[in-house]
């Protein structure tokens, strides 16, 4: 189970590798939100999302012999690129198992970062696991899970250490920290970091409507699942239910979840373009959208929020600008 | 005349106010450039451009009595917003004289930042100066020039102090530093900072074609002017000729200028969208465009470049994505 010592150790291993993203703000966003909004833009992280932190943490935590054999991950998106880059930095092989209908650009990017991409047929549910197990056994690869993995949570939690320091420097010691939530790795990691370093800050998961498994699970006190496995424009943060490791941490430490609409995510993308000069993906927008459009569900004079990633294609970005740009 | 002590003093005054922008990079951009590219994204600065640094520096350098009377600036764009925000932070009045045909959004933003906007007819060349002088005399306002002003150059030069530190942390001690150049405030300020703090780094101005007054002035060793006063999509960095104060500094310290096409700027905007998750304006793209597309004119294993701003409207941004997005 991840704890604060593991997060601090991960921060040491990430030092000089993961980018320390700044804390951004805009008076125009403050006005919409009715309070001060401080934004942690992990779209500026290497590979365009916070996933690199967890990937690098997990790869760097392996012993040399194990690591030298290589790593494997299942991902159609941000985790794939994070693992590929971390592996390349260590000069070790990485295999990324991706659905054959994944966007060509993401497949190309993952390959360009040095990974061997193995495609599977998404329609055949068994094939992915079988393929992955076979590769692990044959080549001695270590599986890097996207969130239910203590060292991945520890790496993602380093975002929380930075938020604690940066919020303090801004004079904010009592506030909600809104986190884009899929499986809960980033949310639980940040929650653990805040518990130790900034007890006045409280993590709260944010999700798109119809894919609010974490929010409903927290309200119920036990795992709840989404009705649909996919179908959100916020695909990067959609998972069926919170993780086995992440959920108990969230349950102990997090405030209630916040749920936003897809339109609010698109509107937030247009605002981030105009006011922050940031490119954010729909899933990466949910926490800022909650800060802007769920103000009655938030208390305090300030709110912090993460932007989890910026890997959005041109069409989706133009959709946001065309609908909500000025 | 600005010197390194003034830049260091400006950095002290800006501490806790100007944002320390990170140094970004992407392996995909390195590949295009054929060398390591380190990017200083001042589009993430308050008000979306480096202009805030100079404005805050100049306003904070005034004595209390003078400052209390307020400040005035002529600008249709980034400098206007920088001065307006700096004035608001001090709780003093600011008057921004803008052409009446300036984009409504920029006028609205400047007003929203608390400035009194006074419009003039661009066709009547005399009216602007006369209007400004009248306001200065009547109200005792202090004029904040956009670049030919020692304390503005000092504030803009704080970007160079950060570049010197950040480049060193990245192990880069010998490289060109490409700077988006209009009147030369940012270029000369960075050049002075590098002279003192990182003598292996050399500033070089970058400009759009047909508006390469700094490049031609440096080559000639004396002021040269552009044939046209305006008409570039890189409008934010177009000035008729280098400043009276900035040019001698540039002449003493800068390497040769680099010139890029408008199409290369648009292509760079699309690449920054995809690879850096940044929104940059055409004028803010010239230095990165030079790093990517003028590689034969650059020496060394690494190159640094500034992005000067990100205040671009939706239509221009979509033009870049439609032409060069993938």
């Amino acid at each position: 189970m991840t704890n604060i010592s593991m997060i601090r150790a991960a921060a040491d291993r990430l030092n000089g590798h993961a980018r320390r993203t700044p804390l951004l703000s805009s008076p125009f966003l403050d006005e919409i939100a009715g309070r001060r909004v401080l934004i942690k833009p992990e779209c500026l992280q290497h590979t365009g999302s916070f996933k690199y932190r967890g990937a690098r943490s997990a790869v760097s935590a392996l012993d040399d012999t194990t690591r030298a054999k290589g790593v494997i991950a299942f991902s159609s998106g941000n985790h794939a690129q994070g693992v590929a880059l971390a592996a390349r930095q260590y000069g070790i092989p990485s295999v990324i198992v991706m659905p054959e209908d994944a966007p060509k650009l993401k497949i190309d990017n993952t390959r360009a970062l040095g990974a061997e991409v193995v495609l599977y047929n998404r329609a055949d549910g068994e094939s992915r696991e079988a393929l992955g197990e076979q590769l692990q056994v044959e080549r001695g690869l270590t599986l890097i899970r996207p969130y239910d993995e203590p060292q991945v949570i520890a790496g993602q939690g380093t975002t929380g250490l930075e938020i604690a320091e940066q919020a303090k420097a801004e004079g904010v010691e009592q506030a909600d920290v809104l986190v884009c939530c899929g499986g809960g790795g980033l949310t639980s990691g940040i929650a653990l970091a805040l518990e130790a370093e900034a007890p006045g800050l409280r993590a709260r998961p944010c999700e798109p409507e119809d894919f609010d498994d974490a929010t409903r699970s927290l309200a119920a006190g036990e795992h709840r699942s989404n009705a649909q496995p996919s179908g959100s424009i916020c695909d990067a943060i959609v998972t069926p239910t919170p993780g086995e490791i992440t959920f108990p941490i969230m349950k102990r430490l997090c405030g209630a979840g916040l749920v936003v609409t897809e339109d609010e995510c698109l509107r937030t993308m247009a605002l981030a373009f105009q006011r922050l000069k940031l490119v954010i993906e729909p899933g990466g927008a949910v926490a800022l959208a909650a800060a802007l459009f769920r103000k009655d569900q938030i208390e305090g004079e300030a709110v912090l929020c993460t932007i989890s990633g910026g890997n959005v294609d041109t069409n989706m970005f133009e959709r946001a600008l065309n609908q909500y740009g000025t």
Side-chain angles (χ1 to χ4, degrees), chain A:
Chain A
M1 185 69 97
T2 309
N3 57 39
I4 185 65
S5 309
M6 285 170 69
I7 297 175
R8 290 188 184 123
D12 285 342
R13 295 198 306 279
L14 291 178
N15 187 23
H17 302 286
R19 207 166 262 153
R20 184 183 170 88
T21 49
L23 213 53
L24 303 179
S25 61
S26 159
F28 296 97
L29 299 181
D30 293 353
E31 199 178 321
I32 297 171
R35 55 172 60 85
R36 214 172 148 201
V37 184
L38 296 166
I39 296 141
K40 181 76 174 164
E42 283 292 303
C43 49
L44 301 178
Q45 191 51 259
H46 295 291
T47 71
S49 89
F50 74 97
K51 290 285 187 181
Y52 170 77
R53 293 181 188 259
R56 171 96 197 182
S57 167
V59 171
S60 62
L62 298 174
D63 68 74
D64 292 350
T65 314
T66 306
R67 185 168 53 226
K69 292 179 188 161
V71 293
I72 182 170
F74 301 95
S75 168
S76 58
N78 291 336
H79 182 56
Q81 294 181 62
V83 172
L85 179 60
R88 186 171 78 172
Q89 290 171 334
Y90 273 100
I92 61 165
S94 68
V95 176
I96 311 291
V97 184
M98 301 180 92
E100 60 188 13
D101 62 350
K104 188 174 174 301
L105 184 68
K106 288 192 174 174
I107 297 177
D108 289 349
N109 281 352
T110 306
R111 282 200 179 118
L113 289 169
E116 175 186 345
V117 173
V118 175
L119 300 174
Y120 74 94
N121 182 342
R122 205 194 285 257
D124 176 6
E126 294 303 302
S127 73
R128 189 183 97 148
E129 307 304 322
L131 191 61
E133 268 177 38
Q134 189 192 339
L135 286 164
Q136 283 176 66
V137 172
E138 279 177 11
R139 306 205 205 165
L141 303 171
T142 300
L143 176 65
I144 309 289
R145 292 182 187 82
Y147 51 87
D148 248 350
E149 164 64 48
Q151 290 294 6
V152 167
I153 298 170
Q156 296 177 350
T158 60
T159 317
L161 295 182
E162 295 175 17
I163 288 173
E165 267 186 49
Q166 292 170 316
K168 194 173 175 189
E170 293 287 335
V172 175
E173 304 202 357
Q174 200 82 28
D176 283 352
V177 178
L178 312 185
V179 187
C180 306
C181 185
L186 183 60
T187 311
S188 60
I190 288 177
L192 287 168
L194 297 179
E195 180 191 25
E197 301 286 346
L201 304 183
R202 181 182 60 159
R204 296 178 66 183
C206 298
E207 296 171 297
E209 64 178 352
D210 300 333
F211 298 89
D212 57 345
D213 51 290
T215 300
R216 289 186 295 109
S217 298
L218 282 176
E222 58 184 34
H223 276 89
R224 292 286 182 267
S225 298
N226 296 320
Q228 302 295 329
S230 62
S232 170
I233 62 170
C234 302
D235 59 321
I237 63 159
V238 163
T239 52
T241 189
E244 292 301 323
I245 300 179
T246 59
F247 184 58
I249 301 169
M250 291 168 65
K251 202 171 142 181
R252 182 168 71 80
L253 296 174
C254 288
L258 294 155
V259 182
V260 296
T261 68
E262 291 194 352
D263 274 347
E264 288 167 334
C265 291
L266 291 169
R267 197 170 155 198
T268 300
M269 290 166 67
L271 284 166
F273 162 83
Q274 193 190 350
R275 300 305 184 190
L276 300 170
K277 315 307 172 190
L278 289 179
V279 174
I280 66 183
E281 61 189 51
V286 294
L288 179 53
L292 298 175
F293 306 120
R294 291 295 176 277
K295 50 185 162 185
D296 295 345
Q297 296 176 35
I298 299 167
E299 286 184 7
E301 292 175 4
V303 64
L304 292 117
C305 55
T306 60
I307 288 172
S308 55
N311 291 313
V312 56
D313 66 30
T314 305
N315 289 343
M316 182 64 76
F317 198 73
E318 290 192 348
R319 181 176 154 192
L321 293 188
N322 292 338
Q323 274 184 256
Y324 295 105
T326 50

